[in-house]
Amino acid sequence: MTAYWISVYQEITDEAKLAAYAELAGPAIREAGGRFIARGMPEEVYEAGRMTRTVLVEFPSVEVAREAHDSPAYQEALAALDGGAVRDLRIVPGVE
């Protein structure tokens, strides 16, 4: 079953570290089977929504998404981020 990696940036504290992370994370995620669906700032927010950067990535399964997160290539990207952002990252199974 398809799974979605949802990352909401609660705070960006270092743009240079975020850029270094993005340079490594994009290829690592794609090579692990991820497909970027949405990335950027919201056009609208409702209810308790906040104007924060959000990234949505589709994976073939929850297991593939977990493996992508735990891969050496993505861990290298996280090391480059090194506290440059506070994020809420979750993997959510799709519905059929």
Side-chain angles (χ1 to χ4, degrees):
M1 178 185 311
T2 302
Y4 297 91
W5 170 322
I6 304 166
S7 183
V8 177
Y9 286 70
Q10 297 171 344
E11 180 181 10
I12 296 171
T13 57
D14 189 319
E15 292 285 346
K17 287 182 178 181
L18 179 59
Y21 161 81
E23 188 172 318
L24 296 170
I29 289 168
R30 283 189 293 276
E31 288 171 16
R35 182 172 71 98
F36 287 88
I37 303 296
R39 176 174 39 207
M41 298 296 288
E43 289 294 319
E44 283 293 334
V45 294
Y46 296 99
E47 300 178 30
R50 294 176 32 191
M51 288 298 255
T52 56
R53 179 176 173 76
T54 304
V55 178
L56 176 63
V57 183
E58 181 182 70
F59 284 91
S61 68
V62 168
E63 186 57 36
V64 172
R66 277 192 199 116
E67 289 170 0
H69 180 273
D70 297 343
S71 71
Y74 187 72
Q75 292 302 305
E76 181 182 352
L78 283 179
L81 183 57
D82 186 35
V86 176
R87 306 179 305 157
D88 172 357
L89 191 152
R90 58 189 68 200
I91 295 170
V92 179
V95 292
E96 289 194 29

